[in-house]
Amino acid sequence: MLKSLYVKNYAIIDELNIDFNSGFNVFTGETGAGKSIIVGALSFLIRGKADTSVIRTGQDKAIIEGIFSIEDYMKDSLKENDIDFDDELIIRRVISKDGHNSIKINQCSVTLNYLVDLFDEHIDIHSQKDSQYLLNKRNHLSLLDRYCDNSDLLSEYKDKYLIYTKALGEYNELLNNTYNESELEFINFDYKELCDANLNVEEEMTLQDKEKRYKSAEKYITTLTNSIGLFDEDNGVKQNLKLLIKELNLDDKDIEQTRTNIENLYYSLEDEVSKLRNILSSFTDDDIDINKIEERLYVYSKLKRKHSLDVQGLIDKQNELKDKIKFFENKDVVLKEKKDSVDKLYNECLTIANKIHEIRSTKAKQLEKDIIKQTEDLMLNNVQFNVKIDKVDINANGIDNVEFYVSLNKGEDLKPLKDVASGGEISRLMLALKTIFTSLSDCVLAIFDEIDSGVSGKVGLAMGQKMKSISKNTQVLAITHLAPVAACGDAHYFIYKQDDSEASATHIKQLNKDEIINELASISSTDTSDKAIAAAKELYKLAQE
């Protein structure tokens, strides 16, 4: 969740600091006071590109800083990028007119792409100008799958489909490849050369170690001789350890255990020094020939340079050439074997894809009912919602093409969700969809910038209650002009603008209960009479209950 936001010299904001509630946070204020600017600052913090136009007039730089609680999904990413964290994530952005801009997470500099990826799909900002992911047809299949909760089956399918596409690619390559005699001669030559080389990854590493030792033989011999001497010589480590063990021969349980531990260390040291003796003796071994080592390493080097591959790559290439030769010699047989394998994998994918299709088709009907129920709660009583599923050729997502269709009024044909008219009705529909899908997602923060525009009265209260229900699992920030929506908030912030002789500046204040009542009365009526205050109290009580 977002714990606090600090903004300095951003647009008409001079300086402000806001602490947030974990539940439903509402923001009210007069038009032009800067409510949407605060949302803009938050949006800029987590995804905006550096733009000097946001810097307050007369200032050299703007600063936006947000403190977020650490979510489980963040931890692996932060560790992989060596970003230290405890229980908070401090994101700080500085935009300077001279071009010196920075993005930091817990004092560690990061790129904008990393920042965007960190919050991708976890913070949802909905504004009147933002069509959001719900309107995008490309997201409808994944939204349906999220509702279906079929991730295990999808994962199984994707793994199988990957194997199938790889096999299909290999088959098509074989089908389209033909080799003339000259090409085959080169293939046979390279294959024989690799076979004769008898390459082995471990051998190359061993040879490289030996070469390194023998090129520094004098240093190795001197160092090893001195080291072994320190252990073996008179009054050396070995002799002193023996004396220590003998000296500790007392009838005491604690000392006896210590003596045993030291004896074990003594024998371990004997084993390790013995290994050093073996290494030392290898430098005088008549069977070792540095010339042969270098000749063998030259074979590795020549082939690696020729094919621009490492040793494992050369081994893989050898197998690849073997398959090409086999294919040329037994083309019809190899193609049939590969085709049979591809067909088998295709049928396995299709079987799983059909299971996924059945689940999607069944759950789509339930999703339609759930969304209709949500729209009815928001007083959209004539909505029709349809999850249109068309079967398509098998692909990475299965065999389904999914798009959401909607009709908002009686007598209207169902249309793609992206084509429905804007305004109060579509805002309510979007809120209904978000009520369903936000609860199924990893979204930690949902921001609504005047999503209630164009509605009033009971509809506004219904929308406020719907946002309140979303806030049970996801922190919600909502900018509103409606008293019924504001009355549902867990925390209420009043945004206002003050003018002085030089400039205007946006300010913010968290309201207490009495101040909330007065603000609700002010929003609902042109005055704050006793009658208006009484009505605001009743509205607040109703909304909170």
Side-chain angles (χ1 to χ4, degrees):
M1 61 167 275
L2 176 63
K3 301 174 83 171
S4 68
L5 180 68
Y6 173 78
V7 184
K8 182 177 177 66
N9 297 332
Y10 180 90
I12 62 169
I13 296 174
D14 180 21
E15 185 175 25
L16 59 81
N17 200 343
I18 319 169
D19 293 321
F20 294 99
N21 186 280
S22 61
F24 185 20
N25 302 266
V26 296
F27 297 81
T28 62
E30 294 181 358
T31 300
K35 299 186 296 299
S36 293
I37 293 174
I38 292 174
V39 173
L42 179 56
S43 179
F44 183 86
L45 174 68
I46 58 175
R47 65 178 65 158
K49 295 181 179 179
D51 181 1
T52 56
S53 67
V54 303
I55 300 173
R56 182 168 167 79
T57 301
Q59 302 298 323
D60 294 327
K61 63 183 178 181
I63 301 171
I64 306 99
E65 182 175 284
I67 300 179
F68 297 80
S69 57
I70 293 289
E71 308 295 336
D72 288 340
Y73 80 85
M74 298 176 176
K75 293 179 179 177
D76 288 342
S77 176
L78 295 172
K79 289 176 183 176
E80 288 171 7
N81 287 273
D82 296 322
I83 299 173
D84 295 329
F85 62 89
D86 291 315
D87 59 348
E88 288 185 343
L89 198 70
I90 302 174
I91 300 173
R92 181 180 176 87
R93 294 198 64 177
V94 179
I95 308 98
S96 302
K97 282 189 173 180
D98 61 8
H100 291 85
N101 306 315
S102 69
I103 306 174
K104 291 187 177 182
I105 296 180
N106 290 359
Q107 301 302 316
C108 181
S109 294
V110 299
T111 65
L112 179 59
N113 285 339
Y114 176 77
L115 182 62
V116 171
D117 289 343
L118 187 64
F119 286 102
D120 188 34
E121 297 183 3
H122 300 284
I123 293 183
D124 178 25
I125 301 177
H126 180 100
S127 66
Q128 289 173 288
K129 296 180 180 179
D130 188 355
S131 62
Q132 292 294 296
Y133 66 95
L134 292 174
L135 294 178
N136 193 331
K137 175 188 172 182
R138 290 181 299 178
N139 297 322
H140 293 175
L141 178 61
S142 62
L143 288 168
L144 175 59
D145 282 334
R146 187 186 298 172
Y147 183 82
C148 292
D149 191 23
N150 58 349
S151 57
D152 289 344
L153 193 58
L154 278 173
S155 179
E156 179 187 353
Y157 172 79
K158 288 181 184 295
D159 290 343
K160 184 70 70 176
Y161 183 77
L162 188 63
I163 297 170
Y164 160 70
T165 53
K166 182 180 179 182
L168 180 62
E170 291 170 353
Y171 170 74
N172 288 329
E173 183 180 358
L174 287 174
L175 190 64
N176 296 322
N177 276 346
T178 56
Y179 308 110
N180 58 40
E181 291 296 332
S182 176
E183 289 173 322
L184 185 63
E185 186 177 339
F186 277 111
I187 290 171
N188 273 305
F189 177 84
D190 285 342
Y191 176 64
K192 185 177 185 306
E193 185 179 40
L194 290 169
C195 288
D196 291 343
N198 194 22
L199 302 174
N200 182 285
V201 175
E202 294 296 327
E203 182 197 27
E204 185 197 31
M205 294 173 63
T206 301
L207 289 170
Q208 288 171 340
D209 288 341
K210 285 184 177 181
E211 182 188 41
K212 179 183 176 183
R213 285 184 185 177
Y214 284 98
K215 282 188 174 180
S216 305
E218 185 177 347
K219 181 180 178 182
Y220 269 85
I221 291 170
T222 300
T223 302
L224 292 172
T225 300
N226 290 339
S227 299
I228 294 168
L230 287 172
F231 186 76
D232 286 338
E233 65 189 11
D234 291 342
N235 204 30
V237 174
K238 181 177 181 179
Q239 188 179 88
N240 281 306
L241 275 175
K242 282 184 175 180
L243 289 173
L244 176 60
I245 293 166
K246 184 177 180 181
E247 192 70 25
L248 290 173
N249 190 16
L250 294 172
D251 185 17
D252 182 287
K253 185 176 180 182
D254 292 334
I255 294 177
E256 183 179 341
Q257 181 59 53
T258 301
R259 182 176 183 274
T260 300
N261 291 340
I262 294 172
E263 278 185 319
N264 291 334
L265 288 172
Y266 170 80
Y267 291 121
S268 295
L269 278 171
E270 276 275 25
D271 290 340
E272 296 306 318
V273 173
S274 194
K275 292 176 184 177
L276 294 179
R277 292 192 188 97
N278 290 336
I279 295 172
L280 178 61
S281 66
S282 70
F283 285 98
T284 57
D285 193 334
D286 294 336
D287 294 334
I288 299 298
D289 188 337
I290 189 62
N291 291 326
K292 287 185 177 179
I293 290 173
E294 290 183 337
E295 286 174 5
R296 183 64 177 148
L297 283 172
Y298 174 73
V299 173
Y300 279 92
S301 177
K302 181 182 70 172
L303 291 172
K304 286 161 66 176
R305 190 166 55 250
K306 176 181 177 179
H307 297 283
S308 299
L309 295 169
D310 60 14
V311 177
Q312 185 57 55
L314 291 172
I315 294 169
D316 294 340
K317 186 172 184 65
Q318 180 180 327
N319 294 327
E320 178 188 328
L321 294 174
K322 180 181 178 181
D323 290 340
K324 287 182 177 180
I325 293 168
K326 179 183 176 183
F327 171 69
F328 184 84
E329 294 172 346
N330 307 278
K331 181 176 181 180
D332 293 340
V333 175
V334 173
L335 278 175
K336 185 179 184 308
E337 288 177 353
K338 200 69 177 176
K339 181 65 165 61
D340 289 344
S341 175
V342 168
D343 289 343
K344 181 182 178 184
L345 287 167
Y346 174 84
N347 288 327
E348 290 173 354
C349 285
L350 188 60
T351 298
I352 302 173
N354 278 318
K355 289 181 182 177
I356 294 171
H357 171 77
E358 292 302 319
I359 292 172
R360 286 169 174 166
S361 298
T362 301
K363 296 293 284 186
K365 299 301 180 186
Q366 184 60 49
L367 175 59
E368 291 169 356
K369 293 178 182 178
D370 285 353
I371 288 174
I372 294 300
K373 172 64 170 62
Q374 294 294 332
T375 58
E376 288 174 348
D377 290 346
L378 293 168
M379 300 182 187
L380 288 171
N381 297 316
N382 298 311
V383 169
Q384 298 178 64
F385 188 86
N386 175 248
V387 181
K388 189 172 184 290
I389 303 178
D390 294 320
K391 277 195 172 183
V392 295
D393 291 338
I394 196 166
N395 58 68
N397 295 310
I399 54 172
D400 300 310
N401 182 53
V402 174
E403 185 170 11
F404 296 160
Y405 277 68
V406 67
S407 169
L408 295 174
N409 300 292
K410 280 185 178 181
E412 289 184 355
D413 293 333
L414 286 161
K415 297 178 182 178
L417 182 59
K418 63 181 178 63
D419 294 336
V420 295
S422 61
E425 289 180 332
I426 188 60
S427 294
R428 279 183 278 168
L429 175 62
M430 296 295 286
L431 185 55
L433 293 172
K434 290 195 175 189
T435 303
I436 298 286
F437 292 118
T438 301
S439 65
L440 300 172
S441 71
D442 294 323
C443 183
V444 296
L445 172 61
I447 301 170
F448 299 102
D449 187 1
E450 298 185 8
I451 193 173
D452 50 25
S453 178
V455 302
S456 59
K458 292 182 178 180
V459 175
L461 183 59
M463 294 186 76
Q465 290 170 338
K466 198 61 68 179
M467 285 184 266
K468 174 82 169 181
S469 70
I470 293 174
S471 73
K472 291 178 182 178
N473 300 304
T474 302
Q475 184 186 29
V476 173
L477 276 59
I479 291 175
T480 181
H481 284 294
L482 293 181
V485 172
C488 296
D490 297 311
H492 191 138
Y493 301 86
F494 178 65
I495 300 172
Y496 58 99
K497 186 168 64 175
Q498 284 186 334
D499 300 328
D500 59 26
S501 59
E502 296 182 357
S504 301
T506 292
H507 300 273
I508 190 165
K509 176 185 179 183
Q510 183 171 355
L511 305 182
N512 60 34
K513 184 177 178 180
D514 289 339
E515 290 169 331
I516 291 172
I517 299 300
N518 286 331
E519 174 62 6
L520 295 178
S522 177
I523 297 172
S524 302
S525 175
T526 55
D527 62 57
T528 53
S529 62
D530 291 343
K531 185 176 180 181
I533 293 293
K537 285 182 179 179
E538 188 63 28
L539 172 63
Y540 185 71
K541 179 181 178 183
L542 174 65
Q544 291 295 313
E545 289 175 350

